[in-house]
């Protein structure tokens, strides 16, 4: 049984999709949960209410991880509310898919700044309090796109591959203080985005996945909960693929 009682988690972009599922899972295991959101205040309020319904404290913080000052402010707000951050989940991410020859500079920049730079700024902001506590769990949400690359996703694949490098560098730098850093690499997961894909494309994606189905956000959240727990205390610098066998490395 994973026990996160007494722990505080901070999740970037935690109001919907995978981030929301992670927040609910960590709260269900006993953690209090702070999460950032960019603009959808209604979704943020709903998620905070769902976390509180599980008997845990919740804090929704509006912020944009692309901005280092905003990332600092998100971390500061969580620390002021809860006094500590034991678990950081860098989940914030966007897509702006296009072929390389057609991809605009803005689409390249926006994805890198959100998916990779944002994780760096938030990690940087929690480093000092975690070092002081001599403990912490940092979990980055990467992707199979960062492991294998995807056509039309040069920006997204680059950012998610960069997250893997950031994970390993963070793990090496912080290990001596008892802080671990790992990544979870989801495969094709049922979210608002994938549910709207054409049926023939969904069938192709399922056919490519050895286990023959999409994953669920709850399955991604379960992997995060494990890496956040004491059971994973001797695991750092690793990439845990939750992809139905799609990328075997």
């Amino acid at each position: 049984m994973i026990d996160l009682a007494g722990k505080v988690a901070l999740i970037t972009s935690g109001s919907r999709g995978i981030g929301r599922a992670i927040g609910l899972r960590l709260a269900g295991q006993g953690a209090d949960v702070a999460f950032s959101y960019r603009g959808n205040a209604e979704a943020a309020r709903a998620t905070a209410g769902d976390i509180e319904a599980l008997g845990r404290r919740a804090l929704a913080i509006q912020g944009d991880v692309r901005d280092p000052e905003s990332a600092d402010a998100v971390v500061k707000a969580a620390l002021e509310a809860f006094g500590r951050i034991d678990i950081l989940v860098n989940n914030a991410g966007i897509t702006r898919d296009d072929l390389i020859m057609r991809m605009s500079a803005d689409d390249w920049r926006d994805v890198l700044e959100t998916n990779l730079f944002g994780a760096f700024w938030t990690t940087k902001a929690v480093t000092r309090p975690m070092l002081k506590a001599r403990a912490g769990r940092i979990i980055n949400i990467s992707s199979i796109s960062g492991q294998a690359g995807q056509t039309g996703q040069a920006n997204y694949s680059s950012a998610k591959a960069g997250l893997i490098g950031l994970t390993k560098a963070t793990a090496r730098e912080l290990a001596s203080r008892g802080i671990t850093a790992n990544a979870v690499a989801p495969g094709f997961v049922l979210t608002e985005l994938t549910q709207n894909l054409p049926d023939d494309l969904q069938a192709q994606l399922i056919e490519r996945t050895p286990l023959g189905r999409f994953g669920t956000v709850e399955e991604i959240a379960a992997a995060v909960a494990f890496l956040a727990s004491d059971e994973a205390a001797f695991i750092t610098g690793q990439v845990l693929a939750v992809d139905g066998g799609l990328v075997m490395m």
Side-chain angles (χ1 to χ4, degrees), residues 31 40 44-45 49 67 79 116 151 180 198 231 235:
N40 193 330
R45 284 193 297 269
D67 176 6
L79 288 170
L116 180 57
T151 300
T180 67
E231 281 83 350
I235 300 172

Side-chain angles (χ1 to χ4, degrees), residues 52-167:
E52 290 170 347
L54 294 171
R56 307 314 312 161
R57 294 181 295 169
L59 177 67
I61 311 162
Q62 186 170 19
D64 187 343
V65 296
R66 296 177 301 177
D67 176 6
E69 292 184 359
S70 182
D72 283 341
V74 167
V75 170
K76 184 178 180 181
L79 288 170
E80 287 178 349
F82 296 144
R84 58 193 292 169
I85 297 173
D86 303 287
I87 302 156
L88 169 64
V89 183
N90 284 309
N91 171 69
I94 61 171
T95 56
R96 297 285 187 273
D97 294 354
D98 211 341
L99 296 175
I100 290 171
M101 67 183 209
R102 292 204 304 248
M103 186 174 290
S104 70
D106 285 344
D107 285 349
W108 169 263
R109 186 179 296 110
D110 285 349
V111 171
L112 268 291
E113 288 186 350
T114 300
N115 299 20
L116 180 57
F117 288 27
F120 174 78
W121 298 132
T122 311
T123 298
K124 180 179 171 67
V126 302
T127 296
R128 192 176 301 276
M130 283 190 176
L131 287 172
K132 186 176 180 181
R134 303 186 70 88
R137 300 279 186 270
I138 298 171
I139 301 156
N140 296 323
I141 306 302
S142 183
S143 169
I144 58 166
S145 295
Q147 296 177 299
Q150 295 291 331
T151 300
Q153 288 195 323
N155 48 6
Y156 187 78
S157 295
S158 296
K160 293 299 189 178
L163 265 182
I164 292 172
L166 176 61
T167 299

Side-chain angles (χ1 to χ4, degrees), residues 161-185:
L163 265 182
I164 292 172
L166 176 61
T167 299
K168 293 177 181 294
T170 304
R172 288 194 182 276
E173 283 194 25
L174 304 183
S176 65
R177 295 295 185 95
I179 301 164
T180 67
N182 293 287
V184 172

